[in-house]
Amino acid sequence: MAHKKPFHVMIIPTLGCPSSCSYCWSSDERSPIMTMETVKEMVEWLQTFRDDPITFTFHGGEPLLAGPDFYREALSLITEGLRPRKIAFALQTNLWKMTPEMAQVLAEYRVPIGSSLDGPKDLNDLQRSAGYFDKTMAGYEIARAHGLSVQFICTFTSYSIDFKEDIFNFFLENGLTLKLHPALPSIKSDDPDQWALAPVKYGDLLVYLLDRYLENMDDIEVRNINDLCRCVFTGRGTVCTYVDCMEDTFAVGPNGTIYPCYRFVGMEEWAMGNVRDRPTVADLAGSEAGKRMRAFKDMVDRECKSCRHIRYCRGGCPYNAIAPSGGELLGVDPHCIAYKRIFDEIADRFNKEIFGSMGMGSACLSSGPSEGAKPGMMALIQKIISS
């Protein structure tokens, strides 16, 4: 029997959001909320699109604006309509609209939740809007009380990077898993780079977090470092930034329009089709947006072929590379500088630890870092393998 290749569908019930984060580029207060008819059309499209396992992530905007009745019906329609296929769900939310009723619906389908906190309350609310922290933590308590798994994404900006120690300590002291994003230039702002984290500083941050993680490995998990290490250790990309996402990731907007990723939703030049038309894999690939995504992949093969990390980096995120330039292919993901920095750091530390840093031959395995050296990697490898 042929091996089935899972793919990812991101459902965007609305681009509306009650928050007003300073660096946001993806919300639209005029956005409608997805109808159940569109959900049905999406399920019917997927019944014949690909016969593979699917992970559905509800994203936004703020997806909980759709309300508990939407999720009660949508989760049932998707599960029943695509049976017996293997289905998984996830949801990304600021948790403001979390209620006991909503939590009960999500718990029934074991939906893990991703949310967002940028660190301690004052710093978080400065970046994400006044009152954000308390509203999110109130929703977090409701979710946890109903047995839902919640992990937080922390966005580092040009401002908050100066408080990286405070931010790391906040996650450490509160027993929270740390997953981070660099703030991106906003294509909807008159000053797109105001909050954006410069690639060089992003690289410095990743190395800093690697060191802090190794020093506190028993007390915190830094998801990004785990993922980056897996890339190096396995020789393949393990999260969407570092894989060929084309043809394996799609987003469905509120009106049923299909895009390459949730980041493109609402940008009509990146529309690939609509669920009501039941497009095939070939139809999506042949759309103008599909062709531009393929052109990015081809450019990576040319421009990055001599890079030691090409197998598991793949030029980074296509959105980062081509959305700010209006779709023009000017280069790979601008965060390439940061990716190389951390990939080099992980690979070089690993090799030094394996083959010894004091001139030992390759047959001599070091049991750990020498005195005064940076923390070793072997314990982290063991943690990743066992997790």
Side-chain angles (χ1 to χ4, degrees):
M1 186 174 67
H3 176 70
K4 291 186 179 296
K5 185 178 180 183
F7 68 107
H8 188 192
V9 175
M10 310 178 91
I11 302 174
I12 316 301
T14 179
L15 286 173
C17 182
S19 180
S20 55
C21 299
S22 300
Y23 46 78
C24 181
W25 44 265
S26 62
S27 64
D28 184 351
E29 61 185 13
R30 302 162 300 175
S31 174
I33 291 178
M34 183 179 286
T35 65
M36 202 50 55
E37 183 61 32
T38 297
V39 176
K40 292 176 183 177
E41 295 275 13
M42 179 188 67
V43 171
E44 291 179 13
W45 164 57
L46 291 170
Q47 286 171 345
T48 58
F49 180 68
R50 276 175 59 175
D51 185 23
D52 294 307
I54 312 174
T55 294
F56 291 92
T57 299
F58 294 92
H59 215 295
E62 174 44 59
L64 293 190
L65 286 174
D69 288 343
F70 172 89
Y71 285 96
R72 186 178 289 110
E73 191 169 354
L75 291 167
S76 175
L77 278 170
I78 294 168
T79 303
E80 297 300 322
L82 296 174
R83 195 180 298 277
R85 209 178 313 188
K86 185 176 180 181
I87 299 296
F89 295 108
L91 186 143
Q92 183 67 31
T93 168
N94 63 23
L95 291 170
W96 291 15
K97 298 295 183 180
M98 182 60 69
T99 63
E101 182 184 6
M102 180 75 78
Q104 190 171 356
V105 173
L106 298 176
E108 181 181 348
Y109 289 88
R110 298 181 179 86
V111 181
I113 291 174
S115 192
S116 299
L117 281 178
D118 289 355
K121 180 176 177 178
D122 289 348
L123 174 60
N124 178 87
D125 286 5
L126 184 148
Q127 295 193 160
R128 286 191 169 268
S129 71
Y132 186 109
F133 186 95
D134 289 342
K135 292 175 186 176
T136 292
M137 293 309 291
Y140 173 68
E141 295 302 329
I142 294 172
R144 295 282 292 172
H146 285 78
L148 290 166
S149 169
V150 182
Q151 294 190 351
F152 291 99
I153 292 174
C154 175
T155 299
F156 279 83
T157 68
S158 57
Y159 176 80
S160 68
I161 188 66
D162 292 335
F163 303 92
K164 62 180 183 291
E165 184 173 357
D166 295 333
I167 293 170
F168 181 86
N169 289 339
F170 168 81
F171 280 86
L172 177 65
E173 292 163 6
N174 286 280
L176 301 174
T177 296
L178 175 57
K179 182 179 180 183
L180 64 128
H181 282 169
L184 301 171
S186 173
I187 59 176
K188 296 181 179 180
S189 171
D190 294 333
D191 186 6
D193 294 317
Q194 178 184 1
W195 294 93
L197 183 62
V200 171
K201 288 191 174 183
Y202 183 33
D204 293 342
L205 172 65
L206 290 171
V207 174
Y208 167 82
L209 290 174
L210 173 62
D211 286 334
R212 292 299 309 274
Y213 188 22
L214 290 170
E215 294 164 0
N216 298 276
M217 215 183 321
D218 294 336
D219 301 310
I220 193 171
E221 180 179 3
V222 183
R223 290 276 302 277
N224 303 67
I225 301 301
N226 285 354
D227 293 335
L228 291 162
C229 288
R230 281 195 191 94
C231 288
V232 176
F233 300 152
T234 64
R236 60 183 179 83
T238 58
V239 289
C240 72
T241 302
Y242 312 113
V243 295
D244 284 333
C245 58
M246 299 73 158
E247 301 179 7
D248 286 320
T249 297
F250 303 98
V252 179
N255 66 355
T257 302
I258 304 166
Y259 301 87
C261 173
Y262 83 96
R263 289 178 163 181
F264 294 101
V265 173
M267 302 166 63
E268 291 312 306
E269 65 272 27
W270 289 96
M272 306 176 81
N274 193 290
V275 294
R276 65 174 175 266
D277 299 320
R278 313 289 192 269
T280 64
V281 171
D283 290 335
L284 298 185
S287 67
E288 288 305 310
K291 290 175 183 176
R292 287 198 295 273
M293 293 292 283
R294 180 70 202 198
F296 174 82
K297 182 175 180 178
D298 292 342
M299 182 189 66
V300 169
D301 287 334
R302 290 193 311 272
E303 301 298 322
C304 303
K305 62 182 178 182
S306 62
C307 178
R308 67 191 286 204
H309 308 299
I310 185 174
R311 284 185 303 155
Y312 46 80
C313 177
R314 297 301 311 160
C317 175
Y319 175 90
N320 292 356
I322 55 187
S325 63
E328 189 177 355
L329 286 175
L330 301 179
V332 298
D333 185 337
H335 290 119
C336 172
I337 297 167
Y339 305 151
K340 281 185 177 179
R341 174 88 192 280
I342 189 61
F343 282 139
D344 282 345
E345 191 77 20
I346 292 169
D348 292 347
R349 288 193 196 190
F350 178 67
N351 289 334
K352 285 179 181 178
E353 194 169 331
I354 288 293
F355 300 123
S357 58
M358 302 298 290
M360 292 182 289
S362 60
C364 298
L365 298 183
S366 170
S367 60
S370 59
E371 185 176 352
K374 292 180 178 180
M377 300 292 295
M378 296 305 294
L380 179 55
I381 299 170
Q382 292 167 357
K383 176 177 179 175
I384 292 171
I385 291 173
S386 62
S387 64

